[in-house]
Amino acid sequence: MRGTTNPLVVGRVIGDVVEPFACSIPLRVVYNHNKEVINSGELKPSQIVSHPRVEVGGDDLRTLYTLVMVDPDAPSPSNPTMREYLHWLVINIPATTGSNFGEEIVSYESPRPTSGIHRLVFVLFKQPGRQSIHAPGWRQNFITRDFAEYYNLGSPVAAVYFNCQRQSGSGGRRLIL
């Protein structure tokens, strides 16, 4: 995929979190009524305290989706020993609606990065039908690929991500004296 301009490839979401896929459903994620998530955009921790409004496209209310939100850079991008950290899991979201019409399996946990710039990734899967999905026993080391395979979700149908760092962070390396 040399020379690609796909932000999910450039941002290593494809590779670190999911395999290559074709986006086939619109997915819109908005924090605080006006902070829309755009690929590789940046949001501060104070802007993402409450769960976002998530709008799922499609045209048939009988089609259901699963939404996963993970941080592949936890606890730090240089040493992601908790990759992927699960921040939110919502299932049985009807097409044309949003996450508030689904069933929250793992409650939203606001990201609070302490080191480096973290990618926060929303991945949407089309379900084969109404499902019962169990909450994992822990949030750290969640593997989106394995989860999708276990529940027969197939490839993602949409994904979007943003970057986040500690509230006072401004990017780049810091000189420590």
Side-chain angles (χ1 to χ4, degrees):
M1 291 192 193
R2 184 179 288 270
T4 185
T5 58
N6 180 339
L8 297 173
V9 173
V10 173
R12 295 184 338 271
V13 169
I14 291 178
D16 286 352
V17 179
V18 296
E19 297 300 325
F21 71 97
C23 182
S24 58
I25 293 292
L27 174 65
R28 186 169 185 247
V29 180
V30 180
Y31 280 95
N32 296 329
H33 306 292
N34 65 351
K35 299 288 183 192
E36 184 166 356
V37 172
I38 57 168
N39 284 316
S40 76
E42 183 172 336
L43 295 173
K44 295 287 188 182
S46 62
Q47 297 172 308
I48 57 174
V49 172
S50 300
H51 72 77
R53 185 178 79 246
V54 176
E55 300 168 2
V56 175
D59 55 13
D60 185 349
L61 284 168
R62 295 171 295 183
T63 303
L64 301 172
Y65 296 92
T66 292
L67 178 73
V68 174
M69 179 188 179
V70 295
D71 177 351
D73 301 315
S76 74
S78 61
N79 189 25
T81 58
M82 292 193 285
R83 172 180 289 170
E84 303 156 28
Y85 190 87
L86 179 63
H87 282 278
W88 199 25
L89 175 59
V90 184
I91 67 169
N92 297 325
I93 304 168
T96 77
T97 68
S99 56
N100 55 325
F101 289 93
E103 182 182 342
E104 189 175 67
I105 300 300
V106 175
S107 63
Y108 180 81
E109 183 180 306
S110 177
R112 293 180 297 278
T114 57
S115 174
I117 299 172
H118 291 240
R119 295 164 293 164
L120 281 301
V121 183
F122 294 89
V123 183
L124 188 70
F125 295 95
K126 181 178 176 182
Q127 297 175 197
R130 182 163 293 280
Q131 291 197 246
S132 292
I133 292 177
H134 304 286
W138 51 86
R139 290 176 184 257
Q140 69 274 10
N141 302 116
F142 181 84
I143 301 170
T144 302
R145 287 179 182 96
D146 291 354
F147 170 80
E149 182 178 341
Y150 185 81
Y151 287 105
N152 297 312
L153 298 174
S155 295
V157 294
V160 65
Y161 82 100
F162 66 95
N163 295 314
C164 185
Q165 60 186 313
R166 69 179 191 273
Q167 191 67 31
S168 60
S170 60
R173 296 185 181 270
R174 305 207 188 301
L175 179 62
I176 300 174
L177 301 173

